[in-house]
Amino acid sequence: MESEYLTILIHLGMAVLAGGLIGLERTYHGRPAGFRTHTLVCTASALLMLVTIYQWQLLKGAPLETIRVDPTRMAQGIMTGIGFLGAGVIMKEGLSVRGLTTAASIWVTAAIGVLIGIGFYFPAVVATLITLGALALFRWIEMIMPSHYYARLNVRFKRQETPAEAELRDLIVRQNFSVANLSYRLEQEGKYFEYQMTVRSQNTDNYRKLAETLTAMEKVLEFEIIPTGD
């Protein structure tokens, strides 16, 4: 019995360690689901899998035909439940969707907890290292690799002072942007005219330059630059 207690402590201790390591990375980057959330998720998954492993001891005296040993059913239930928790950290801010990476990290943390719970330590350790690498190392790779950055741009003018479309396009292109999905809008009974478009650039610093340029234009009454992405 003492050896079983030790085994259970090892399972739960490794679940706390694996979940804690992943959670620390999320906490460091200011994510809403961090150290405590990932630790609890991994530990809970391991606990539930321990139930399936030790159900023979828990149901002593029960007829054998009443006991069905199928750990995969418990694992399926855990992963389904984690979907609700993951959905809770996904937030839509304007055109941006944030929290997808944190939701994915919660999901994989639950999977690691399942592996630890059944004592499948080697793949659990490998999965923990892979997850930490994906969250930390891949972030650096994303930063250095060439990429396009998209944003939604809205610019408002007085109707009688609205520049021609070609003039506005030329100004935006000079800031190293390309323009797509251009649309037009009249507001407040035709007093104001607004251009709405999607812009793309390979350098996020160009957003600042574009904002400075639009700020310096007296004709511009209002503008809004909304980056998209996670």
Side-chain angles (χ1 to χ4, degrees):
M1 182 63 68
E2 291 183 359
S3 62
E4 290 181 356
Y5 288 158
L6 179 61
T7 301
I8 292 172
L9 287 175
I10 292 174
H11 283 231
L12 296 180
M14 289 192 65
V16 170
L17 178 62
L21 287 174
I22 297 171
L24 282 174
E25 195 282 337
R26 294 285 82 194
T27 297
Y28 177 76
H29 289 100
R31 298 300 185 249
F35 177 67
R36 291 180 299 172
T37 300
H38 284 76
T39 301
L40 291 173
V41 165
C42 197
T43 304
S45 299
L47 276 171
L48 292 173
M49 293 310 297
L50 284 173
V51 171
T52 65
I53 292 177
Y54 288 97
Q55 60 182 315
W56 294 103
Q57 289 88 333
L58 296 173
L59 300 174
K60 285 182 178 179
L64 291 177
E65 61 270 14
T66 64
I67 301 177
R68 297 291 183 268
V69 181
D70 186 4
T72 61
R73 294 181 62 186
M74 179 66 77
Q76 291 169 1
I78 292 171
M79 301 313 290
T80 300
I82 289 300
F84 292 95
L85 180 60
V89 301
I90 299 175
M91 299 170 287
K92 188 174 186 299
E93 301 174 358
L95 298 176
S96 299
V97 179
R98 303 187 182 279
L100 292 173
T101 303
T102 299
S105 69
I106 291 175
W107 190 71
V108 73
T109 300
I112 292 170
V114 168
L115 293 175
I116 293 174
I118 63 177
F120 212 10
Y121 294 130
F122 179 72
V125 171
V126 173
T128 301
L129 295 176
I130 290 174
T131 302
L132 290 172
L135 293 173
L137 179 61
F138 287 12
R139 178 189 299 274
W140 176 77
I141 294 175
E142 283 183 336
M143 291 175 61
I144 64 173
M145 69 183 296
S147 181
H148 288 111
Y149 302 97
Y150 291 81
R152 189 65 182 172
L153 172 63
N154 304 324
V155 189
R156 178 180 293 186
F157 305 89
K158 288 183 178 179
R159 184 173 182 177
Q160 63 273 21
E161 297 180 358
T162 301
E165 177 186 328
E167 181 182 344
L168 182 62
R169 279 181 176 271
D170 183 61
L171 181 145
I172 295 172
V173 170
R174 288 202 305 269
Q175 307 302 318
N176 298 313
F177 282 93
S178 60
V179 179
N181 302 323
L182 182 63
S183 60
Y184 318 92
R185 183 178 179 182
L186 274 176
E187 288 194 337
Q188 297 188 18
E189 299 179 352
K191 293 181 180 179
Y192 303 107
F193 187 92
E194 185 171 284
Y195 286 106
Q196 300 178 341
M197 68 199 80
T198 300
V199 294
R200 183 184 71 179
S201 179
Q202 289 188 325
N203 188 345
T204 55
D205 193 50
N206 290 333
Y207 290 129
R208 175 185 58 80
K209 296 177 181 177
L210 177 60
E212 292 174 351
T213 300
L214 294 174
T215 301
M217 294 177 61
E218 294 183 1
K219 292 182 178 181
V220 175
L221 297 179
E222 296 178 5
F223 72 87
E224 188 175 34
I225 302 175
I226 310 172
T228 61
D230 187 13

